[in-house]
Amino acid sequence: MSQPSREFNIDLNCFIFRLVAKYVNNLMSVQNAYCCYNSGSCVSGNRSAWYCKLIKPFAFCLITAMLAMSVSHLCDKYSASNSFRAIKADLGNLRSHMSTLSMEVKGVIDTRDNLKYKLKELGIVIPKMSEAILKLRNDVSEEMGLHTKTLLKALSPENVRDMVRCEIETYDADKTGMTDYALETSGGAILSTRNTETYSAGAPVLTLFGMPLCQQQNTPRAVIQSGVLPGECWAFKGTSGSVVIQLLGPVFVSGVSLEHISPSISPTGETTTAPKDFSVWGLHDVDDREGFLFGEFTYDNSGSAVQYFEVQHKPKRYYDIVELKVHSNSGNHEYTCIYRIRVHGSLNR
């Protein structure tokens, strides 16, 4: 029997015991009154008949036992019923849910405390961030104001005119603004092309009365002449070749400039015949095979037409003979064109 059933049974037995005792007392009181009425006088408890003394406890015990057995049977039957088990199961589930809910509430309380701590930290950080952002904005505003003033000053009409004038003067000064000591009209000359073979296919032919006399083709001298229109170049077979140049005089070489036509004025719109990888050497004489290497360079045919290259190795003496060696071109496997090579530096006077 379960604990609630036992407690209910005990309380009910006590109630029945009191009820039966009260009933028996009342019964005995009535019997005594009846005897007194018949005899004419009341008889005390000590003078009662012997059977009256036995009836009271016997009746009390019998009725109490019967009622207790009935109540116990009813309680056992009730406790074993499906409804009681269902109620018991529901109470167990409710107790489990209450435990889970208690744990969740505890978790919510912990999360709330953690959020309060984070919000407190955030409240401390936000004012510092605001100050830093304000300072950064002020610094940026000052810098922008300063740069704006500098830019406006640099782009003033006077400065723009000066820049345009300077660029025009540079272009007029042989496009580089530097002296070319290899220029033929200044005293430069071609000494040798080693074993490089001139490419003559497609060159114009001089005719007389419709009869071809000779084929017109540019010689290696074209690389030290000022003409750089389409076709005014020295073309040689293949992708590699060399040319030896006599300078105006002994020159302390500081750099060279290589020029090719722009794709915008090329008849085919391409510049694949332009040199790509090349090197420049300083020679003691035309037969010098172990000269001084000024540097190895790369011409970018997608860049500007005139490209300047500063020497990679500073010379220790003046040279009056230089050699240009082309190692590859920009994609044409049939021939390569050199329009102009310039040699810059200072002349030994």
Side-chain angles (χ1 to χ4, degrees):
M1 185 183 296
S2 62
Q3 185 68 23
S5 299
R6 292 193 185 96
E7 293 175 357
F8 176 77
N9 194 8
I10 292 172
D11 294 340
L12 186 59
N13 287 338
C14 293
F15 173 76
I16 293 173
F17 176 79
R18 295 191 188 97
L19 185 62
V20 170
K22 185 176 181 180
Y23 172 76
V24 172
N25 288 331
N26 292 336
L27 179 63
M28 296 305 295
S29 298
V30 170
Q31 186 177 5
N32 292 333
Y34 177 77
C35 292
C36 291
Y37 175 78
N38 291 330
S39 60
S41 62
C42 294
V43 182
S44 62
N46 294 329
R47 297 173 59 186
S48 298
W50 62 270
Y51 60 88
C52 292
K53 295 181 180 179
L54 293 176
I55 290 174
K56 181 177 180 179
F58 177 75
F60 175 79
C61 291
L62 180 62
I63 294 173
T64 301
M66 293 177 64
L67 289 175
M69 290 175 64
S70 299
V71 171
S72 177
H73 176 71
L74 290 175
C75 289
D76 290 341
K77 185 177 180 180
Y78 176 76
S79 63
S81 65
N82 293 331
S83 60
F84 185 79
R85 283 198 296 268
I87 293 172
K88 199 175 177 184
D90 291 339
L91 288 175
N93 293 334
L94 181 61
R95 187 181 297 109
S96 176
H97 290 320
M98 288 294 292
S99 178
T100 303
L101 182 62
S102 177
M103 293 178 63
E104 291 180 354
V105 170
K106 183 179 179 181
V108 170
I109 293 174
D110 293 340
T111 304
R112 183 197 61 183
D113 295 338
N114 190 22
L115 287 176
K116 284 184 178 180
Y117 179 74
K118 295 295 183 183
L119 288 174
K120 185 178 180 181
E121 288 184 344
L122 190 61
I124 297 174
V125 172
I126 286 178
K128 295 181 179 179
M129 290 181 61
S130 300
E131 294 177 1
I133 292 173
L134 181 60
K135 185 177 183 300
L136 180 61
R137 184 177 63 183
N138 294 334
D139 293 341
V140 170
S141 299
E142 292 177 1
E143 291 292 332
M144 289 184 62
L146 181 61
H147 288 300
T148 302
K149 290 179 181 178
T150 304
L151 183 61
L152 291 175
K153 183 178 179 180
L155 294 178
S156 62
E158 294 79 8
N159 290 335
V160 172
R161 282 195 295 268
D162 291 341
M163 287 188 290
V164 172
R165 187 184 302 111
C166 181
E167 292 297 326
I168 293 176
E169 290 175 355
T170 300
Y171 186 83
D172 289 340
D174 202 16
K175 301 180 183 179
T176 61
M178 296 179 287
T179 304
D180 177 16
Y181 294 102
L183 185 63
E184 185 179 47
T185 56
S186 297
I190 301 296
L191 297 181
S192 173
T193 57
R194 305 297 185 192
N195 56 355
T196 306
E197 186 178 353
T198 300
Y199 181 78
S200 58
V205 178
L206 180 62
T207 61
L208 179 62
F209 302 112
M211 299 179 63
L213 297 178
C214 63
Q215 190 176 39
Q216 296 178 336
Q217 61 182 13
N218 293 325
T219 65
R221 292 173 51 198
V223 302
I224 57 174
Q225 294 175 348
S226 58
V228 287
L229 294 177
E232 295 180 341
C233 64
W234 175 50
F236 58 85
K237 291 183 179 180
T239 59
S240 61
S242 63
V243 58
V244 181
I245 305 171
Q246 174 73 54
L247 302 179
L248 170 62
V251 176
F252 191 84
V253 179
S254 61
V256 296
S257 295
L258 187 64
E259 183 175 3
H260 196 83
I261 60 171
S262 171
S264 60
I265 64 172
S266 173
T268 61
E270 298 178 352
T271 57
T272 57
T273 60
K276 185 177 181 182
D277 298 317
F278 67 96
S279 59
V280 181
W281 301 74
L283 307 180
H284 295 286
D285 54 63
V286 69
D287 297 323
D288 185 6
R289 297 293 182 176
E290 298 180 357
F292 177 80
L293 177 63
F294 291 116
E296 296 176 332
F297 314 103
T298 299
Y299 181 87
D300 182 10
N301 67 327
S302 62
S304 60
V306 181
Q307 297 180 21
Y308 173 75
F309 304 92
E310 186 176 356
V311 296
Q312 298 170 349
H313 309 291
K314 299 294 183 181
K316 297 180 180 179
R317 61 181 295 271
Y318 290 83
Y319 289 91
D320 57 357
I321 300 176
V322 297
E323 181 176 3
L324 169 66
K325 294 182 180 180
V326 177
H327 305 292
S328 65
N329 65 18
S330 299
N332 192 306
H333 300 290
E334 189 175 357
Y335 66 98
T336 304
C337 292
I338 303 177
Y339 274 82
R340 186 174 176 186
I341 179 73
R342 296 174 176 84
V343 179
H344 311 293
S346 56
L347 183 66
N348 184 9
R349 301 182 183 277

